Amino acid sequence: MITVRRNNERGHADHGWLDSHHTFSFANYYDPKHMGFRSLRVINEDRVAPGRGFGAHPHQDMEILSYVRSGKLAHKDSMGQEEVLGPNEIQKMSAGTGVFHSEYNGSQTDPVHFFQIWIEPKQRGIKPSYEQLKFDESEKQNRFKVLASPTPVAGAATINQDAKVSVAVLDPATKLDYAVDESRHVWLHVVEGDVAVNGQQLQTGDAAAVSNEHVLEIATNGSKSEVLVFDLA
């Protein structure tokens, strides 16, 4: 079964310096029908103006992933991490017992476009931790690149939940299959492009909740496309 959630159904907030789309209820956007999917709680697509950002704020008991599409995202936290994240990198912060962090555009001239993802943890009260991993762009070209996994995977972040996050960039007129275990559920988000997922047409910003499917056939139409896939217990 595939249930489509369209781009224009997402929550939206434009603060001038921040343009944000919320797949699930977040901040001032509240929809009781869209509080998350399985352990996936937040998918925020943010565009932040040059030199602006989010001041220091707390998190607790949440697995937080950041994935940059373009620009630079600067990060600083109470664990002593001070890093800059760019395209083809994945950042994970396990908030655990509690951590403060700030995020801001690392450029004074160019905007940053990134996705922030929250996944509810399997175990609460763990020690906070941080990972940032860079990978070659070719690793996601016409194949799935694992960004995060509950068990160690080379080049991927390890998260405290039975969830796997992957990304793929597909050339035009390309098909890619994603096998789904019968006990699993998938949330697929179209980062950019125009694809058919088991025949369902999806465009930039659209998403699909998937249950009771054995395989997802992802086929691009006339444009290069990028998808994020969340494989969830």
Side-chain angles (χ1 to χ4, degrees):
M1 181 176 69
I2 297 179
T3 303
V4 174
R5 180 151 164 77
R6 297 296 179 190
N7 173 35
N8 61 8
E9 296 172 347
R10 294 188 292 174
H12 180 232
D14 188 347
H15 301 286
W17 65 273
L18 167 67
D19 186 270
S20 185
H21 286 84
H22 310 309
T23 295
F24 305 115
S25 294
F26 187 86
N28 292 328
Y29 166 61
Y30 175 71
D31 182 345
K33 295 180 180 179
H34 295 98
M35 298 299 295
F37 182 73
R38 312 299 292 183
S39 61
L40 180 59
R41 177 62 188 84
V42 166
I43 303 176
N44 286 348
E45 182 177 6
D46 292 343
R47 290 174 172 84
V48 179
R52 301 297 298 272
F54 308 91
H57 56 281
H59 289 285
Q60 185 173 350
D61 286 326
M62 194 66 71
E63 301 295 291
I64 300 172
L65 302 171
S66 295
Y67 177 69
V68 173
R69 295 258 10 263
S70 62
K72 298 177 180 179
L73 181 66
H75 167 97
K76 185 176 182 179
D77 65 43
S78 56
M79 294 180 284
Q81 301 289 338
E82 190 167 356
E83 306 287 349
V84 176
L85 183 72
N88 302 317
E89 293 185 80
I90 184 66
Q91 179 197 83
K92 178 219 72 174
M93 187 175 71
S94 292
T97 53
V99 64
F100 279 80
H101 80 141
S102 61
E103 294 169 300
Y104 53 95
N105 190 331
S107 171
Q108 296 294 321
T109 57
D110 300 315
V112 61
H113 174 201
F114 72 103
F115 285 81
Q116 185 161 100
I117 297 147
W118 294 9
I119 297 174
E120 295 175 352
K122 187 174 183 178
Q123 180 183 356
R124 295 181 177 271
I126 66 171
K127 181 181 178 180
S129 64
Y130 180 92
E131 282 185 282
Q132 183 171 325
L133 300 111
K134 188 174 179 63
F135 58 91
D136 192 272
E137 186 174 7
S138 63
E139 294 181 54
K140 63 182 182 182
Q141 295 294 328
N142 298 315
R143 55 178 171 161
F144 291 104
K145 160 63 183 174
V146 179
L147 298 178
S149 170
T151 55
V153 172
T158 304
I159 56 173
N160 173 30
Q161 182 52 272
D162 186 4
K164 185 171 72 172
V165 184
S166 302
V167 64
V169 175
L170 289 80
D171 290 329
T174 299
K175 291 183 180 180
L176 196 58
D177 287 348
Y178 186 92
V180 184
D181 186 273
E182 62 181 11
S183 64
R184 309 287 291 183
H185 306 264
V186 169
W187 185 274
L188 183 145
H189 182 93
V190 181
V191 174
E192 184 177 37
D194 182 7
V195 302
V197 179
N198 289 10
Q200 292 274 4
Q201 299 295 323
L202 303 175
Q203 297 181 329
T204 301
D206 291 347
V210 181
S211 297
N212 300 316
E213 298 280 344
H214 297 296
V215 65
L216 295 182
E217 183 184 86
I218 304 164
T220 53
N221 295 315
S223 63
K224 188 173 183 177
S225 301
E226 182 171 359
V227 296
L228 282 167
V229 175
F230 302 87
D231 191 324
L232 308 158

